[in-house]
Amino acid sequence: MTFRRWSYAPALFGILHLFALTARSVEPPPRETHGDFDVVIAGGTTAAFAAALASADSGARTALIEPTDWVGGQITASAVPAIDEAWHKITDPKMKKVLNVATIARDRANMTPDFRAMLDATGNPGRGWVSQYCFEPKKFLDAQLLPREKARGDKLVVFREAVIKSVEADAASGRITAIHAIRRIPRPGVAWGGYDRLLSLDLDDWYSPEPSDRFDKVLLTFRADDRPGHRTVFLEATEWGEVLALSGAPYLQGVEAVDGGREGDDTCGQATVFDFIQRLNPTPVDEPPGPKGVEKLGFALKPEQKDPWAHIWTYRRLKGKEAGPAVGDLSLQNWGYSDRMKEGGNDYPFGYLFPPRSAAAAEAKDWKGGLNRAVLAGAEQRALGWHYWLKEHVPAPFVPGQVTLDRGLLGTGHGLAKLPYIRDTRRSIGLDGFILKISDLEGPVANLTGKRFKDRIALGAYPADIHPVTGCDFPSYVHAHNDTLPFCIPFRALTNERYGNMMVAGKTMAQSFMANSATRLHPIEWSTGTASGVIAAFMARENLDSRAAFGRIGEIQALVRAKTPIDWTIDGKVYPTPDEATEL
């Protein structure tokens, strides 16, 4: 009798719990409708936050829809805080001339001043060798990004932990009319503010409008201001190109058959990765067991590489005083995979994160991020597998137990970044079919810069950098590219050919797969984000669509110059020169 009596208790508790959830779900989630913003930014990227600051500074009342609780994109939520700057030189053997692109890119005259000031204030506390700036994401967030957000006052409203659910658009008039989003609020008792579970396990809940046992929900609508003389400008700056996919806008995905063309393989692109931070402790610390079945892990370095473990450990080290590994170090892991050697780190090249466009179109009826869940989960498991592999290979005098996964510095209970690092994504097609091409970024050394567009509004410098998905048969042009010159990014790259009140920035710009491989880095995202924020505020204030704004490019360039340079300074001379013909 005693056994039978107590055996009902769990069942009764379950019934009561289910009843509570059912009763709670009867209450529809609250709704908020906002129709008084000048600029609405669908965000989550470095470019999105830069655009939000620039838009607010330009006088526009600005909304930023941020999918996590950390603004800043790849610097923070995606945990890539080693800032990628141009490092290369280009040699012309015939002219016996060398163009030092790295030196040009790091000339203060060619940098976005506010971004450079943040980096200078932060420095390189990790002494990582991949960058001049390797630091802890949360410290950068607290010391640099959040004070700038606060300084914008009521001009900038950030809707944190909100994901894009659907988009209303009027194709006939070429306008986005509304963006619908879902904001989640962690319930009391949910650990780590809801970041206790891996993203692949929680993403469906993020995109569900129904309250769950983990999150309350608020349904957000951002409508265009239709009053006479007013214009709301929407800015697509998401990591996953969600507004493009949900609005029916023309977009590119994967690698094109011809650079600058529209057709190609939308299942072949760049690998994604979940980053994490390891700590080197003074004494061994117990950890739970790692995942099983993770294969093809290894240093992926040439056999003659001395101290491969130390080489990888100091690559993106975020905290460290010694030249080599030392107790107290914090090392961020973002290590590539070699298809030739069939081994590598936490890069996940065994599938493309984005399903075919046809699958994304079908999902639009009940959007859940538009990602391949198997690839997302595979990337998580590979990251965890790489942690355990690397700790087991720590060299003497250290022992494996001294290397642990830090389960707090990235704001998650599982230790991985809040979001994966995205190298390529869905990309817009601009006004009149414009697509920025890799050939626009290249040229002979004598040219000094890439194509000097008449409508240039931002600068960039980085070589084409591809982490390919395995098994993809890339066209020959992908393998035959040259290092890029310091290049210009035109206004048209920030537009969409179908919607005149939508701009784009960062990785979702109107650009080819190859061009994206050179523009996806932090300084370029910040530069294009800044430009797009200034432009969006101008369009809202002047009641212009993107084509009409294009016709006033001189005014726009003057406004953008006040925030970020649009002309290159090389050896004290400015390019293009005032009398130089420029190209559209």
PDB file of all heavy atoms in Angstrom, residues 32-63:
ATOM      1  N   GLU A  32       3.003  44.067 -28.530  1.00  0.00           N
ATOM      2  CA  GLU A  32       3.423  45.465 -28.595  1.00  0.00           C
ATOM      3  C   GLU A  32       3.540  45.846 -30.070  1.00  0.00           C
ATOM      4  O   GLU A  32       4.146  45.120 -30.851  1.00  0.00           O
ATOM      5  CB  GLU A  32       4.780  45.677 -27.925  1.00  0.00           C
ATOM      6  CG  GLU A  32       4.812  45.434 -26.433  1.00  0.00           C
ATOM      7  CD  GLU A  32       6.199  45.650 -25.861  1.00  0.00           C
ATOM      8  OE1 GLU A  32       7.089  46.121 -26.615  1.00  0.00           O
ATOM      9  OE2 GLU A  32       6.415  45.325 -24.677  1.00  0.00           O
ATOM     10  N   THR A  33       2.953  46.962 -30.418  1.00  0.00           N
ATOM     11  CA  THR A  33       3.068  47.470 -31.787  1.00  0.00           C
ATOM     12  C   THR A  33       3.768  48.816 -31.747  1.00  0.00           C
ATOM     13  O   THR A  33       3.358  49.717 -30.996  1.00  0.00           O
ATOM     14  CB  THR A  33       1.692  47.614 -32.454  1.00  0.00           C
ATOM     15  OG1 THR A  33       1.065  46.321 -32.534  1.00  0.00           O
ATOM     16  CG2 THR A  33       1.827  48.177 -33.862  1.00  0.00           C
ATOM     17  N   HIS A  34       4.815  48.929 -32.531  1.00  0.00           N
ATOM     18  CA  HIS A  34       5.604  50.159 -32.589  1.00  0.00           C
ATOM     19  C   HIS A  34       5.536  50.716 -34.011  1.00  0.00           C
ATOM     20  O   HIS A  34       5.922  50.053 -34.965  1.00  0.00           O
ATOM     21  CB  HIS A  34       7.057  49.882 -32.197  1.00  0.00           C
ATOM     22  CG  HIS A  34       7.213  49.302 -30.834  1.00  0.00           C
ATOM     23  ND1 HIS A  34       7.294  50.081 -29.699  1.00  0.00           N
ATOM     24  CD2 HIS A  34       7.262  48.013 -30.399  1.00  0.00           C
ATOM     25  CE1 HIS A  34       7.409  49.308 -28.635  1.00  0.00           C
ATOM     26  NE2 HIS A  34       7.391  48.043 -29.028  1.00  0.00           N
ATOM     27  N   GLY A  35       5.032  51.931 -34.111  1.00  0.00           N
ATOM     28  CA  GLY A  35       4.920  52.556 -35.426  1.00  0.00           C
ATOM     29  C   GLY A  35       5.555  53.922 -35.486  1.00  0.00           C
ATOM     30  O   GLY A  35       5.276  54.701 -36.410  1.00  0.00           O
ATOM     31  N   ASP A  36       6.414  54.212 -34.502  1.00  0.00           N
ATOM     32  CA  ASP A  36       6.978  55.562 -34.434  1.00  0.00           C
ATOM     33  C   ASP A  36       8.501  55.573 -34.529  1.00  0.00           C
ATOM     34  O   ASP A  36       9.145  56.560 -34.156  1.00  0.00           O
ATOM     35  CB  ASP A  36       6.542  56.244 -33.140  1.00  0.00           C
ATOM     36  CG  ASP A  36       6.939  55.455 -31.897  1.00  0.00           C
ATOM     37  OD1 ASP A  36       7.326  54.283 -32.046  1.00  0.00           O
ATOM     38  OD2 ASP A  36       6.850  56.010 -30.787  1.00  0.00           O
ATOM     39  N   PHE A  37       9.095  54.491 -35.031  1.00  0.00           N
ATOM     40  CA  PHE A  37      10.536  54.487 -35.233  1.00  0.00           C
ATOM     41  C   PHE A  37      10.863  54.951 -36.649  1.00  0.00           C
ATOM     42  O   PHE A  37      10.189  54.585 -37.613  1.00  0.00           O
ATOM     43  CB  PHE A  37      11.121  53.089 -35.004  1.00  0.00           C
ATOM     44  CG  PHE A  37      11.215  52.710 -33.556  1.00  0.00           C
ATOM     45  CD1 PHE A  37      10.347  51.782 -33.006  1.00  0.00           C
ATOM     46  CD2 PHE A  37      12.176  53.294 -32.736  1.00  0.00           C
ATOM     47  CE1 PHE A  37      10.426  51.427 -31.670  1.00  0.00           C
ATOM     48  CE2 PHE A  37      12.271  52.946 -31.395  1.00  0.00           C
ATOM     49  CZ  PHE A  37      11.392  52.022 -30.864  1.00  0.00           C
ATOM     50  N   ASP A  38      11.907  55.748 -36.765  1.00  0.00           N
ATOM     51  CA  ASP A  38      12.387  56.185 -38.081  1.00  0.00           C
ATOM     52  C   ASP A  38      13.173  55.077 -38.771  1.00  0.00           C
ATOM     53  O   ASP A  38      13.056  54.880 -39.979  1.00  0.00           O
ATOM     54  CB  ASP A  38      13.287  57.424 -37.946  1.00  0.00           C
ATOM     55  CG  ASP A  38      12.597  58.570 -37.253  1.00  0.00           C
ATOM     56  OD1 ASP A  38      11.488  58.930 -37.673  1.00  0.00           O
ATOM     57  OD2 ASP A  38      13.171  59.101 -36.280  1.00  0.00           O
ATOM     58  N   VAL A  39      13.973  54.356 -37.991  1.00  0.00           N
ATOM     59  CA  VAL A  39      14.814  53.280 -38.526  1.00  0.00           C
ATOM     60  C   VAL A  39      14.625  52.052 -37.652  1.00  0.00           C
ATOM     61  O   VAL A  39      14.723  52.138 -36.425  1.00  0.00           O
ATOM     62  CB  VAL A  39      16.303  53.689 -38.556  1.00  0.00           C
ATOM     63  CG1 VAL A  39      17.182  52.532 -39.003  1.00  0.00           C
ATOM     64  CG2 VAL A  39      16.512  54.899 -39.475  1.00  0.00           C
ATOM     65  N   VAL A  40      14.359  50.907 -38.282  1.00  0.00           N
ATOM     66  CA  VAL A  40      14.209  49.634 -37.579  1.00  0.00           C
ATOM     67  C   VAL A  40      15.279  48.691 -38.113  1.00  0.00           C
ATOM     68  O   VAL A  40      15.299  48.384 -39.303  1.00  0.00           O
ATOM     69  CB  VAL A  40      12.809  49.025 -37.785  1.00  0.00           C
ATOM     70  CG1 VAL A  40      12.725  47.651 -37.127  1.00  0.00           C
ATOM     71  CG2 VAL A  40      11.735  49.959 -37.248  1.00  0.00           C
ATOM     72  N   ILE A  41      16.164  48.250 -37.228  1.00  0.00           N
ATOM     73  CA  ILE A  41      17.293  47.412 -37.625  1.00  0.00           C
ATOM     74  C   ILE A  41      17.063  45.983 -37.138  1.00  0.00           C
ATOM     75  O   ILE A  41      16.960  45.741 -35.933  1.00  0.00           O
ATOM     76  CB  ILE A  41      18.615  47.949 -37.047  1.00  0.00           C
ATOM     77  CG1 ILE A  41      18.841  49.388 -37.515  1.00  0.00           C
ATOM     78  CG2 ILE A  41      19.799  47.058 -37.445  1.00  0.00           C
ATOM     79  CD1 ILE A  41      20.001  50.089 -36.817  1.00  0.00           C
ATOM     80  N   ALA A  42      16.953  45.067 -38.078  1.00  0.00           N
ATOM     81  CA  ALA A  42      16.934  43.644 -37.749  1.00  0.00           C
ATOM     82  C   ALA A  42      18.381  43.222 -37.578  1.00  0.00           C
ATOM     83  O   ALA A  42      19.150  43.194 -38.537  1.00  0.00           O
ATOM     84  CB  ALA A  42      16.259  42.843 -38.857  1.00  0.00           C
ATOM     85  N   GLY A  43      18.766  42.930 -36.333  1.00  0.00           N
ATOM     86  CA  GLY A  43      20.190  42.865 -36.041  1.00  0.00           C
ATOM     87  C   GLY A  43      20.697  41.549 -35.526  1.00  0.00           C
ATOM     88  O   GLY A  43      20.133  40.485 -35.762  1.00  0.00           O
ATOM     89  N   GLY A  44      21.812  41.673 -34.814  1.00  0.00           N
ATOM     90  CA  GLY A  44      22.540  40.533 -34.289  1.00  0.00           C
ATOM     91  C   GLY A  44      23.979  40.508 -34.753  1.00  0.00           C
ATOM     92  O   GLY A  44      24.759  39.668 -34.310  1.00  0.00           O
ATOM     93  N   THR A  45      24.347  41.428 -35.639  1.00  0.00           N
ATOM     94  CA  THR A  45      25.706  41.466 -36.172  1.00  0.00           C
ATOM     95  C   THR A  45      26.480  42.650 -35.614  1.00  0.00           C
ATOM     96  O   THR A  45      25.917  43.578 -35.028  1.00  0.00           O
ATOM     97  CB  THR A  45      25.691  41.585 -37.703  1.00  0.00           C
ATOM     98  OG1 THR A  45      25.024  42.815 -38.060  1.00  0.00           O
ATOM     99  CG2 THR A  45      24.971  40.424 -38.348  1.00  0.00           C
ATOM    100  N   THR A  46      27.782  42.633 -35.854  1.00  0.00           N
ATOM    101  CA  THR A  46      28.614  43.800 -35.560  1.00  0.00           C
ATOM    102  C   THR A  46      28.129  44.998 -36.354  1.00  0.00           C
ATOM    103  O   THR A  46      28.052  46.122 -35.846  1.00  0.00           O
ATOM    104  CB  THR A  46      30.083  43.487 -35.889  1.00  0.00           C
ATOM    105  OG1 THR A  46      30.509  42.374 -35.101  1.00  0.00           O
ATOM    106  CG2 THR A  46      30.986  44.674 -35.615  1.00  0.00           C
ATOM    107  N   ALA A  47      27.776  44.771 -37.623  1.00  0.00           N
ATOM    108  CA  ALA A  47      27.281  45.854 -38.479  1.00  0.00           C
ATOM    109  C   ALA A  47      25.989  46.436 -37.931  1.00  0.00           C
ATOM    110  O   ALA A  47      25.764  47.649 -38.009  1.00  0.00           O
ATOM    111  CB  ALA A  47      27.077  45.339 -39.901  1.00  0.00           C
ATOM    112  N   ALA A  48      25.131  45.591 -37.370  1.00  0.00           N
ATOM    113  CA  ALA A  48      23.845  46.070 -36.853  1.00  0.00           C
ATOM    114  C   ALA A  48      24.043  47.060 -35.720  1.00  0.00           C
ATOM    115  O   ALA A  48      23.378  48.108 -35.667  1.00  0.00           O
ATOM    116  CB  ALA A  48      23.004  44.876 -36.380  1.00  0.00           C
ATOM    117  N   PHE A  49      24.942  46.743 -34.787  1.00  0.00           N
ATOM    118  CA  PHE A  49      25.132  47.648 -33.659  1.00  0.00           C
ATOM    119  C   PHE A  49      25.792  48.947 -34.115  1.00  0.00           C
ATOM    120  O   PHE A  49      25.415  50.032 -33.658  1.00  0.00           O
ATOM    121  CB  PHE A  49      25.965  46.981 -32.576  1.00  0.00           C
ATOM    122  CG  PHE A  49      26.024  47.776 -31.301  1.00  0.00           C
ATOM    123  CD1 PHE A  49      24.887  47.958 -30.538  1.00  0.00           C
ATOM    124  CD2 PHE A  49      27.209  48.359 -30.872  1.00  0.00           C
ATOM    125  CE1 PHE A  49      24.926  48.708 -29.366  1.00  0.00           C
ATOM    126  CE2 PHE A  49      27.253  49.106 -29.707  1.00  0.00           C
ATOM    127  CZ  PHE A  49      26.110  49.284 -28.950  1.00  0.00           C
ATOM    128  N   ALA A  50      26.749  48.854 -35.023  1.00  0.00           N
ATOM    129  CA  ALA A  50      27.364  50.066 -35.568  1.00  0.00           C
ATOM    130  C   ALA A  50      26.319  50.928 -36.264  1.00  0.00           C
ATOM    131  O   ALA A  50      26.314  52.161 -36.130  1.00  0.00           O
ATOM    132  CB  ALA A  50      28.480  49.687 -36.539  1.00  0.00           C
ATOM    133  N   ALA A  51      25.414  50.297 -37.008  1.00  0.00           N
ATOM    134  CA  ALA A  51      24.354  51.030 -37.700  1.00  0.00           C
ATOM    135  C   ALA A  51      23.418  51.697 -36.700  1.00  0.00           C
ATOM    136  O   ALA A  51      22.980  52.841 -36.903  1.00  0.00           O
ATOM    137  CB  ALA A  51      23.568  50.077 -38.594  1.00  0.00           C
ATOM    138  N   ALA A  52      23.118  51.002 -35.611  1.00  0.00           N
ATOM    139  CA  ALA A  52      22.218  51.565 -34.605  1.00  0.00           C
ATOM    140  C   ALA A  52      22.807  52.827 -33.984  1.00  0.00           C
ATOM    141  O   ALA A  52      22.108  53.832 -33.795  1.00  0.00           O
ATOM    142  CB  ALA A  52      21.929  50.516 -33.531  1.00  0.00           C
ATOM    143  N   LEU A  53      24.092  52.773 -33.657  1.00  0.00           N
ATOM    144  CA  LEU A  53      24.740  53.958 -33.085  1.00  0.00           C
ATOM    145  C   LEU A  53      24.742  55.110 -34.078  1.00  0.00           C
ATOM    146  O   LEU A  53      24.428  56.259 -33.733  1.00  0.00           O
ATOM    147  CB  LEU A  53      26.174  53.619 -32.678  1.00  0.00           C
ATOM    148  CG  LEU A  53      26.368  52.547 -31.587  1.00  0.00           C
ATOM    149  CD1 LEU A  53      27.855  52.378 -31.293  1.00  0.00           C
ATOM    150  CD2 LEU A  53      25.607  52.899 -30.321  1.00  0.00           C
ATOM    151  N   ALA A  54      25.103  54.830 -35.331  1.00  0.00           N
ATOM    152  CA  ALA A  54      25.195  55.887 -36.339  1.00  0.00           C
ATOM    153  C   ALA A  54      23.826  56.467 -36.672  1.00  0.00           C
ATOM    154  O   ALA A  54      23.683  57.677 -36.876  1.00  0.00           O
ATOM    155  CB  ALA A  54      25.861  55.337 -37.603  1.00  0.00           C
ATOM    156  N   SER A  55      22.810  55.620 -36.724  1.00  0.00           N
ATOM    157  CA  SER A  55      21.460  56.094 -37.011  1.00  0.00           C
ATOM    158  C   SER A  55      20.965  57.009 -35.896  1.00  0.00           C
ATOM    159  O   SER A  55      20.425  58.097 -36.152  1.00  0.00           O
ATOM    160  CB  SER A  55      20.526  54.894 -37.170  1.00  0.00           C
ATOM    161  OG  SER A  55      19.186  55.308 -37.296  1.00  0.00           O
ATOM    162  N   ALA A  56      21.162  56.590 -34.648  1.00  0.00           N
ATOM    163  CA  ALA A  56      20.738  57.414 -33.518  1.00  0.00           C
ATOM    164  C   ALA A  56      21.515  58.726 -33.484  1.00  0.00           C
ATOM    165  O   ALA A  56      20.941  59.797 -33.223  1.00  0.00           O
ATOM    166  CB  ALA A  56      20.931  56.645 -32.219  1.00  0.00           C
ATOM    167  N   ASP A  57      22.818  58.665 -33.740  1.00  0.00           N
ATOM    168  CA  ASP A  57      23.635  59.883 -33.783  1.00  0.00           C
ATOM    169  C   ASP A  57      23.156  60.846 -34.857  1.00  0.00           C
ATOM    170  O   ASP A  57      23.331  62.064 -34.736  1.00  0.00           O
ATOM    171  CB  ASP A  57      25.100  59.529 -34.046  1.00  0.00           C
ATOM    172  CG  ASP A  57      25.798  59.002 -32.807  1.00  0.00           C
ATOM    173  OD1 ASP A  57      25.240  59.131 -31.703  1.00  0.00           O
ATOM    174  OD2 ASP A  57      26.910  58.444 -32.954  1.00  0.00           O
ATOM    175  N   SER A  58      22.568  60.291 -35.919  1.00  0.00           N
ATOM    176  CA  SER A  58      22.103  61.114 -37.039  1.00  0.00           C
ATOM    177  C   SER A  58      20.709  61.677 -36.793  1.00  0.00           C
ATOM    178  O   SER A  58      20.125  62.298 -37.688  1.00  0.00           O
ATOM    179  CB  SER A  58      22.108  60.284 -38.326  1.00  0.00           C
ATOM    180  OG  SER A  58      23.416  59.815 -38.617  1.00  0.00           O
ATOM    181  N   GLY A  59      20.163  61.441 -35.600  1.00  0.00           N
ATOM    182  CA  GLY A  59      18.888  62.039 -35.225  1.00  0.00           C
ATOM    183  C   GLY A  59      17.677  61.160 -35.415  1.00  0.00           C
ATOM    184  O   GLY A  59      16.557  61.586 -35.105  1.00  0.00           O
ATOM    185  N   ALA A  60      17.865  59.939 -35.918  1.00  0.00           N
ATOM    186  CA  ALA A  60      16.719  59.059 -36.152  1.00  0.00           C
ATOM    187  C   ALA A  60      16.372  58.298 -34.882  1.00  0.00           C
ATOM    188  O   ALA A  60      17.264  57.813 -34.175  1.00  0.00           O
ATOM    189  CB  ALA A  60      17.038  58.079 -37.279  1.00  0.00           C
ATOM    190  N   ARG A  61      15.091  58.187 -34.608  1.00  0.00           N
ATOM    191  CA  ARG A  61      14.669  57.315 -33.516  1.00  0.00           C
ATOM    192  C   ARG A  61      14.796  55.883 -34.022  1.00  0.00           C
ATOM    193  O   ARG A  61      14.138  55.487 -34.985  1.00  0.00           O
ATOM    194  CB  ARG A  61      13.247  57.631 -33.074  1.00  0.00           C
ATOM    195  CG  ARG A  61      12.856  56.878 -31.803  1.00  0.00           C
ATOM    196  CD  ARG A  61      11.662  57.491 -31.105  1.00  0.00           C
ATOM    197  NE  ARG A  61      11.462  56.823 -29.815  1.00  0.00           N
ATOM    198  CZ  ARG A  61      10.666  55.773 -29.634  1.00  0.00           C
ATOM    199  NH1 ARG A  61       9.969  55.298 -30.646  1.00  0.00           N
ATOM    200  NH2 ARG A  61      10.550  55.213 -28.436  1.00  0.00           N
ATOM    201  N   THR A  62      15.634  55.109 -33.363  1.00  0.00           N
ATOM    202  CA  THR A  62      16.107  53.848 -33.914  1.00  0.00           C
ATOM    203  C   THR A  62      15.759  52.679 -33.017  1.00  0.00           C
ATOM    204  O   THR A  62      15.947  52.744 -31.793  1.00  0.00           O
ATOM    205  CB  THR A  62      17.635  53.902 -34.107  1.00  0.00           C
ATOM    206  OG1 THR A  62      17.960  55.033 -34.923  1.00  0.00           O
ATOM    207  CG2 THR A  62      18.161  52.631 -34.743  1.00  0.00           C
ATOM    208  N   ALA A  63      15.261  51.605 -33.629  1.00  0.00           N
ATOM    209  CA  ALA A  63      15.011  50.340 -32.924  1.00  0.00           C
ATOM    210  C   ALA A  63      16.016  49.313 -33.420  1.00  0.00           C
ATOM    211  O   ALA A  63      16.231  49.182 -34.628  1.00  0.00           O
ATOM    212  CB  ALA A  63      13.595  49.848 -33.171  1.00  0.00           C
TER     213      ALA A  63
END
